[in-house]
Amino acid sequence: MKIRWLSPFVRRLALREWLMLFIGLLTLAIALGWQNGLGRLDQSLYDLFLSIDDNKPVREDVIIVAIDDYSLAELGRWPWSRNLHADLINKLTQARPRAIGLDVILSETSTPQNDAQLAAAIAHSQRVVLPVVLTNAGQGLTAGLPIPILAESARALGHINLEHDSDGVIRSVFLREGQNGKSWLHFSAALISTGSGMQYSGTGALPVAPTASLIDTWQRGDQLYIPYEGGIGHFKSVPYVSVLRGEVPDEFFTDKYVLVGATALGMADSYPTPVSRNSGAMPGIEINANILASLLDGEEIHIAAPWQTALFNAFPVFMALLGYLLLSPRFSLFATGIWMLMTLVASYIGLHMGIWIAPAAAVITLIISYPLWSWRRLEAAITYLGQEFTRLDQEPHLLPEEKPVASANEVGDVLEQRISAMENAARRVRDLRQFVSDNLDNLPDATLVTSVEGQVLLANKHANDYYSSLGIDNVLGRNILDLLAQLKNPQPVDQAANLSFDWPDLLDMQRSQTLNNGISVQDHKGRDLLVKSSPCNSAANLLTGWIVSVLDISTIRAAERSRDETLRFLSHDMRAPQASILALLELQSETSSALPQAELFARIEKASRKTLGLADNFVQLARAESHEYRLEEVDFQDVLFDATDEMWSLAKSRHISVQMEISDGEYPVKVDRTLMTRALANLLSNAINYSPDHTSIICSVRLDRDAPQPRVVCRILDHGYGIAEADQGKLFLRFQRVDLPNQPRHDGVGLGLVFVKTVIERHQGDISFISQAGVGTSFTLMLPVCHDV
């Protein structure tokens, strides 16, 4: 009772396990997705996706004037005199750029003369933007502004603060920062406002009171995730000193945004970015150039809302879990990999379309989902199979088997018991399969086992050999109806001749009883076959397939035809002479029709001898076809001489000479001397009867030593009328005569050569002939010698 209750429970266990995993893993994916990013993992994916396609076309209107190592070597150590910056501003102003961003910290005073000179250059340009930095002097965060003379001369001020994520990578900036009610646009946004002559609005107008992030008293708003245009060195750059010397033509800067900043090593103005890769940190001036380019292009990266990320990560997990229930383990694993790849690809495409949806939650959940599901399903399968194998082990055994020997070291835990039960069940299945296979192969007829639809599942050796002879090498998997459709003239045995039959009827339960005796057919080689089918039922008496057998009944059909021919012969040829004798006796009773006594006796004698000859031919043929051969070792030439002696008087009467061509030596054969002599006599008799008078017959005997087994070869050649080519095919058939129109007709029923062929073949020999009408006929007999000579 316990097992009966557990079995349905175990069958439902897989579904219950799936439901629990479905709810748990889907909840996990939603919860992790709601975090809107899983720290370093999603950040690494973000950086990877962003760096895959970071070779966008370079904007021609963004130029960097680099304070590089070459300029430091030419102009001396940093910091430089501010009159150099004034000269640079003046030269750039002459080129009429859209805006000049001087990314140099100017929060401390220099000499009054140099400060005044730089302020004059900035004021004259009316295109210069100076930086504002975030400083902390121990009293909280404050804005580090340029000195007043320079700040008042600048067209605009812009902050150059960058947002560092938890891993120190620069992925975003705030477009507006400030404190105490005063805010500044980002350095790049201030450049756009200066270059365009209007307040920068970007992708949307900057709010007067932006959504703020409070750090002490410092406020930040309008966060922009930077869609980096390229890696380090992506934008066009010229050395500071080259511009100062006038080596760069003015047209190079005309109507462009010019950013002046440090790129030299050791200037402490470099930061890691998603596109830095192995090139090191990116100079701040290049980061500002990337921000400027993205603002000019109207491009930015938005971060999806938590609910969007949660749904995005839940969908592939939902589909993968649904696949676990509906697909096989192999396809489930494949589908899991596909959904993981599709999640990453969708996240990548979304990033390059301007929205970042963190995919790590789905990836992590998918990675752990398949092992969890496989483990739980395997546990359920092991539990169920263990119980079933235990039940199977308790079933009565169908085949004899050795009694298992108990091991002293055998562990009796549950797992060991289940493994042992599984081994026993598997062994019994293999034994039963071998038993069925051996019995199927040992069946004397071609036998095939099919499914209900007729697909061949098993075939024994005879079936494979038979269909191989028809050019079909493999019958497994083919439809039995297609194989049987190649047979000709199907006719149910013991059924009305006009009864309609189609091959699908063979696999029809409603007609199986009426077709018990099988279907009589012929194949393309002329063999007579009998096809039978029997239903194959399961233990629950349900139809599971069919057993189809193909029996070769050619020998039986040949015997039936021989019987029919014999009956026809008895009804005609044997009765005709007897009827003639009775007619002669009736005529003799009337005086008017009575024959002379001598003629009467002669006719009765002729009819009687004909009847006796026919009976004798039948008796001899019946003995030749029987198994009662009295074999003895003789010299073949002695047998030939005996046959020649029997035909001597017949040949003498026709003036036909029989010539012997026999090489010296012995020709030992093991034969039934009486039957072999009669066979040779039949051949000599035919040669004499079907040859003109005054001709010759040549009988030759030789040994063929070239054959695998030495053979005696006897050749009987006549110079008679020959056999027409059209009649040669029926020479060895029963009751067939092959007389030519212009040759004498002889009595006979066509059994002589059938007798000869039967005798020769029963002695494991061969017979062949060559004939040409009007030239003659040559018969060749070959018999194995009884020992090496």
Side-chain angles (χ1 to χ4, degrees), residues 476-528:
L476 296 182
R478 304 191 63 165
N479 194 288
I480 188 65
L481 299 179
D482 296 336
L483 298 174
L484 297 178
Q486 303 178 27
L487 303 177
K488 301 181 293 184
N489 306 322
Q491 178 62 39
V493 177
D494 299 334
Q495 297 282 331
N498 60 354
L499 181 67
S500 62
F501 170 79
D502 293 319
W503 283 115
D505 296 342
L506 195 68
L507 306 182
D508 188 351
M509 284 294 296
Q510 296 181 353
R511 297 205 58 185
S512 60
Q513 295 298 325
T514 61
L515 299 176
N516 276 339
N517 293 329
I519 310 300
S520 176
V521 294
Q522 280 189 337
D523 63 10
H524 296 296
K525 294 187 176 182
R527 289 175 290 194
D528 293 295

Side-chain angles (χ1 to χ4, degrees), residues 216-230:
D216 292 339
T217 59
W218 193 264
Q219 293 180 323
R220 298 183 297 178
D222 294 341
Q223 188 174 16
L224 169 71
Y225 281 81
I226 309 169
Y228 285 88
E229 300 281 320

Side-chain angles (χ1 to χ4, degrees), residues 281-460:
M282 179 180 288
I285 192 66
E286 291 198 33
I287 296 177
N288 289 328
N290 277 281
I291 299 171
L292 175 62
S294 65
L295 292 174
L296 290 172
D297 291 334
E299 295 180 356
E300 59 180 308
I301 297 174
H302 298 279
I303 304 300
W307 67 270
Q308 293 175 323
T309 305
L311 289 179
F312 176 82
N313 286 276
F315 179 74
V317 175
F318 173 83
M319 296 303 296
L321 290 172
L322 190 62
Y324 295 164
L325 185 64
L326 302 177
L327 302 177
S328 65
R330 180 176 61 180
F331 286 106
S332 296
L333 178 60
F334 179 74
T336 301
I338 290 296
W339 282 113
M340 193 180 304
L341 179 62
M342 291 178 63
T343 301
L344 295 174
V345 170
S347 179
Y348 168 80
I349 294 174
L351 178 61
H352 287 274
M353 292 179 64
I355 183 170
W356 168 243
I357 308 178
V363 173
I364 292 176
T365 308
L366 289 173
I367 288 175
I368 66 175
S369 65
Y370 187 80
L372 280 175
W373 167 241
S374 298
W375 166 53
R376 294 311 307 163
R377 181 168 53 182
L378 183 61
E379 182 69 21
I382 290 176
T383 302
Y384 175 72
L385 291 178
Q387 293 182 356
E388 290 300 315
F389 280 131
T390 302
R391 293 178 60 189
L392 185 60
D393 189 45
Q394 296 171 355
E395 292 288 334
H397 303 163
L398 299 178
L399 300 176
E401 60 183 17
E402 296 181 1
K403 184 177 180 179
V405 179
S407 174
N409 299 325
E410 185 175 343
V411 180
D413 62 358
V414 175
L415 178 61
E416 185 67 25
Q417 292 174 3
R418 290 178 179 178
I419 292 176
S420 177
M422 183 181 68
E423 289 177 348
N424 291 334
R427 175 175 51 79
R428 287 172 184 153
V429 170
R430 289 193 297 269
D431 292 344
L432 186 60
R433 165 79 183 196
Q434 188 64 40
F435 176 77
V436 172
S437 178
D438 291 344
N439 278 272
L440 191 63
D441 281 339
N442 289 329
L443 292 176
D445 304 309
T447 305
L448 304 100
V449 180
T450 75
S451 63
V452 176
E453 296 78 15
Q455 183 182 16
V456 178
L457 305 177
L458 294 173
N460 67 354

Side-chain angles (χ1 to χ4, degrees), residues 717-731:
L717 171 66
D718 65 55
H719 299 85
Y721 306 111
I723 304 170
E725 185 175 353
D727 294 330
Q728 292 181 9
K730 57 184 180 180
L731 190 62

Side-chain angles (χ1 to χ4, degrees), residues 17 46 319 332 345 362 399 455 623 635 653 713 785:
E17 294 284 347
Y46 178 93
M319 296 303 296
S332 296
V345 170
L399 300 176
Q455 183 182 16
R623 184 185 171 192
D635 193 319
S653 65
V713 180
V785 298

